Amino acid sequence: MRALNVTAPWGLDAIQVVEAPDPTPGPGQVLVRMKAVSLNYRDLLMVNGMYGRGAATTADVITPFSDGCGVIEAVGAGVTKFKAGDRVATLFFQNWNSGPPNLEKLMSALGFPIPGAGAELQVFGQDGVSKVPEFLTDQQVATLPCAGLTAWRGLFEDARLEPGDTVVLQGTGGVSIFGLQFAKAAGYRTVITSSSDEKLARAQALGADHLVNYKTTPAWSGPVRQATGGRGADFIMEVGGGGTIQESMKAIRIGGHIAIIGVVAGAGDPFNPAALIGNSAKLQGLSVGSRDMFEAMCRALDLHKIGPVVDKVFPWTDAKAAFSAMAGGEHFGKIVLQF
């Protein structure tokens, strides 16, 4: 089989397609022929040697990608949940089945520290994959394990929202577009931000209620306050990190929920907790979710027939071009590699 490997000195030029022996499933494991994988910002950091508590110094070789779709070719002894021919998605955390997170569960992430889905054939534990809705394409399934589940957990597991509540979705990447689709299905009012009017128009076509170009309106908390009659947003999907958190603090309502899921806008200004204290808002870090959460999300996708937005598709051997597109912010929704 062939696989994608990344080694020091890291970077896009370090991505290689290598030959490797076909793996064999052991007891409790399944052998999956991958059909598609999707890119997350985490993968870009990983390839550049900037992820995983010093990934560039603690790993000699990385097989990237946590998010994939494939078909089971063979099962090992003791496997009871799957059979050959089943279509499955990989799960981001291989050992987080249910309950709250802990160190053991969070150390079972695909890509790092566990070799990821970027190979023609890969072995996973039977608890590390899940069946998926039949109506979705392989490319759409590949977008679910990280971006889809992150948005789902933020909206429905951690926050206590009700129909009619207002959610703010920063940018038009994978998590935010999933958040928009889930929020509309749940009856929430949606505000989405972007630096591109073209992308905002696409978000509006998906049902976004309010659009804010943060390039022309850097103080985007103002339009959020205006859209909510001065009350503020009930929930904000914070993907920028330090570069956007101050506006999020100004935009959130008293007692609102800010889900911190990324740092794509960089460090920004030093964090000032005064506003958080003053309005009793909740600031929560969010790292994907459990198998139980994934299965609940898939039931909702099936019920509402929500199709994930796949914007760009590349051959899996052209991962460098796909990462370049991600680094350039060219995408709306998800970028996928096809096997």
Side-chain angles (χ1 to χ4, degrees):
M1 70 157 190
R2 294 175 297 169
L4 292 172
N5 278 353
V6 190
T7 60
W10 314 103
L12 298 187
D13 290 333
I15 301 173
Q16 297 180 329
V17 179
V18 299
E19 297 282 343
D22 289 359
T24 302
Q29 295 181 327
V30 296
L31 176 66
V32 178
R33 181 168 294 279
M34 301 308 302
K35 297 295 185 181
V37 293
S38 73
L39 277 64
N40 295 298
Y41 188 68
R42 168 185 185 256
D43 298 307
L44 181 61
L45 294 176
M46 191 180 302
V47 166
N48 285 324
M50 301 167 60
Y51 182 87
R53 296 184 178 90
T57 58
T58 60
D60 296 323
V61 179
I62 289 174
T63 301
F65 303 116
S66 57
D67 293 22
C69 174
V71 175
I72 293 178
E73 287 213 342
V75 301
V79 171
T80 58
K81 296 180 179 178
F82 303 99
K83 65 182 184 304
D86 286 344
R87 189 175 68 146
V88 295
T90 57
L91 295 179
F92 187 96
F93 290 115
Q94 293 287 284
N95 296 334
W96 187 3
N97 288 326
S98 60
N102 59 33
L103 182 60
E104 180 184 2
K105 294 172 181 176
L106 297 184
M107 288 303 292
S108 66
L110 286 181
F112 185 86
I114 296 175
E120 290 177 316
L121 291 168
Q122 190 61 285
V123 167
F124 306 98
Q126 67 171 335
D127 287 332
V129 296
S130 180
K131 294 180 182 179
V132 289
E134 293 184 2
F135 80 97
L136 296 176
T137 68
D138 294 342
Q139 295 173 6
Q140 290 174 323
V141 168
T143 70
L144 300 178
C146 180
L149 188 53
T150 296
W152 175 268
R153 176 185 165 189
L155 288 168
F156 306 118
E157 297 285 343
D158 294 344
R160 300 297 181 185
L161 301 176
E162 298 179 357
D165 281 352
T166 299
V167 303
V168 175
L169 306 155
Q170 293 180 356
T172 53
V175 176
S176 293
I177 295 302
F178 266 115
L180 171 61
Q181 293 176 289
F182 290 152
K184 295 308 297 182
Y188 305 153
R189 174 173 22 184
T190 53
V191 181
I192 196 159
T193 70
S194 175
S195 62
S196 164
D197 287 337
E198 179 185 357
K199 291 181 179 179
L200 287 173
R202 294 180 67 180
Q204 188 174 37
L206 285 175
D209 298 302
H210 301 277
L211 315 172
V212 183
N213 186 316
Y214 65 78
K215 187 174 183 180
T216 58
T217 310
W220 51 263
S221 59
V224 172
R225 289 280 175 182
Q226 183 177 7
T228 57
R231 181 171 182 264
D234 299 281
F235 176 91
I236 297 176
M237 194 79 76
E238 172 58 65
V239 305
T244 55
I245 189 63
Q246 299 299 340
E247 282 302 302
S248 290
M249 301 286 282
K250 296 175 184 177
I252 198 69
R253 70 162 171 86
I254 294 174
H257 186 112
I258 302 174
I260 302 286
I261 67 161
V263 291
V264 297
D269 297 327
F271 174 68
N272 182 353
L276 190 69
I277 297 170
N279 66 6
S280 300
K282 182 179 181 181
L283 191 67
Q284 180 174 350
L286 195 167
S287 181
V288 199
S290 68
R291 179 191 184 90
D292 282 355
M293 296 177 198
F294 184 89
E295 292 176 347
M297 176 188 70
C298 285
R299 290 193 293 271
L301 288 168
D302 209 5
L303 175 65
H304 294 285
K305 294 296 184 284
I306 297 173
V309 177
V310 176
D311 188 50
K312 297 181 183 297
V313 180
F314 295 82
W316 75 277
T317 52
D318 203 8
K320 180 179 177 181
F323 277 118
S324 295
M326 168 171 275
E330 300 176 12
H331 57 296
F332 178 95
K334 295 294 291 182
I335 298 172
V336 171
L337 299 179
Q338 183 78 38
F339 284 82

